[in-house]
Amino acid sequence: MTGLYELPELYDAQYDTYRDDLHFYRSLARDHGDTVLELGAGTGRVSAALAAEGLRVAAVDISEPMLDRARIRLQAEGLAERVELHLDDMRSLDLGRRFPLVVAPFNTLMHAITVQDQDATLAAVRRHLEPGGAFAFDLFLPHFGPQGVLRRERIWEGLGGADSELFLVQHHDPQQQTIESIYHLDQVDDEGRLTRRSAKLLQRYFTRFELVRALRQADFDRVRLFGGFQKGPLTGDATIMVGIASGQHGAGAD
């Protein structure tokens, strides 16, 4: 089955209007200098927002179709000169330079499925972070709907045109801490023929304290976790975990 990131037009149709995180990352970028390394840049939604603020961005993604779409976006918005696009793996990334801010927006860390993936990714972040720099990220927290059930996603009705519907099936593996999402986009053409495109997305979620431990092991000794982009407390009913970590010594996790 096709991976979701091989269908960037479907991804953008779902998420291109998402704006909840942009103020958070723009504000951090302004506070930390004029260059940013973004992991999991996808189709360039966050990269474009940062570049529009006058920042320079090194944008990394492992999916060539997603970066191709990002390139089109950046050219259309007149931002191509401010964003370097790198087709690379965040686990083994080595650009040979450091940045005052590294960001992994919109669940990027959830693609580090194994412990080895997580350790390698955080080591790569540290390798690219300037002394005194910061690493920022956000992750969704598990509040799953019905599992193994085909659900019509009304929020994305008409995603592929007037006569289209999106359906979602999710499978949760609590032992592996993974959630597999399978998307089915059904479209009816002008002659009444129904076609279906399907795509799969696998993500691994984190608990609070395993994430703190992983960051500490990667030599981040200051870790702040919040329950949203407004930096409120991380409570049991939070749907997003937002983090800022740095390697400056002497401070513990909040």
Side-chain angles (χ1 to χ4, degrees):
M1 183 181 296
T2 301
L4 179 60
Y5 301 137
E6 295 175 56
L7 297 174
E9 69 281 3
L10 175 58
Y11 176 89
D12 263 357
Q14 293 175 266
Y15 302 117
D16 195 45
T17 59
Y18 181 72
R19 295 290 183 270
D20 294 5
D21 55 351
L22 295 184
H23 174 75
F24 173 77
Y25 288 111
R26 283 191 296 233
S27 178
L28 274 177
R30 286 193 297 266
D31 290 344
H32 283 84
D34 61 357
T35 59
V36 182
L37 171 60
E38 182 189 359
L39 304 180
T43 61
R45 180 181 62 87
V46 175
S47 292
L50 295 176
E53 293 287 306
L55 299 156
R56 295 199 172 273
V57 183
V60 177
D61 203 278
I62 200 171
S63 167
E64 190 166 10
M66 296 286 274
L67 287 182
D68 287 343
R69 194 167 179 94
R71 188 171 292 107
I72 294 170
R73 177 205 298 271
L74 293 166
Q75 290 172 347
E77 297 182 16
L79 300 169
E81 291 186 1
R82 292 195 167 273
V83 182
E84 310 165 18
L85 297 177
H86 296 271
L87 180 65
D88 214 326
D89 190 323
M90 65 183 181
R91 295 168 296 183
S92 55
L93 183 67
D94 191 353
L95 298 181
R97 64 189 197 271
R98 298 189 176 209
F99 299 80
L101 178 66
V102 179
V103 300
F106 205 45
N107 308 317
T108 290
L109 289 182
M110 298 182 73
H111 296 293
I113 302 297
T114 68
V115 171
Q116 292 79 11
D117 292 339
Q118 295 159 19
D119 289 346
T121 298
L122 294 177
V125 172
R126 289 292 286 142
R127 194 160 56 240
H128 289 86
L129 199 60
E130 290 182 356
F135 171 47
F137 54 89
D138 65 274
L139 307 163
F140 82 70
L141 292 171
H143 296 278
F144 302 123
Q147 300 300 296
V149 176
L150 188 68
R151 308 198 307 261
R152 180 184 178 191
E153 296 294 292
R154 293 184 180 274
I155 190 173
W156 289 313
E157 192 169 332
L159 189 69
D163 294 317
S164 68
E165 293 181 305
L166 184 73
F167 297 89
L168 174 67
V169 181
Q170 288 187 311
H171 302 284
H172 175 213
D173 185 335
Q175 300 303 317
Q176 299 296 322
Q177 291 180 213
T178 58
I179 184 76
E180 181 186 67
S181 301
I182 300 175
Y183 301 86
H184 300 293
L185 180 62
D186 290 353
Q187 297 171 284
V188 180
D189 65 19
D190 293 339
E191 297 181 5
R193 291 175 297 196
L194 175 68
T195 59
R196 166 169 285 186
R197 288 190 295 168
S198 299
K200 180 171 64 175
L201 176 65
L202 181 66
Q203 296 169 298
R204 184 194 186 280
Y205 59 87
F206 290 82
T207 64
R208 172 178 184 159
F209 292 108
E210 72 167 329
L211 180 58
V212 170
R213 178 178 289 276
L215 288 162
R216 290 281 186 83
Q217 183 170 307
D219 202 28
F220 290 96
D221 54 17
R222 177 167 171 78
V223 180
R224 291 175 290 160
L225 299 177
F226 308 101
F229 295 109
Q230 303 304 315
K231 299 183 183 179
L234 181 57
T235 60
D237 59 354
T239 59
I240 296 174
M241 179 162 54
V242 175
I244 304 174
S246 64
Q248 296 175 346
H249 297 287
D254 294 344

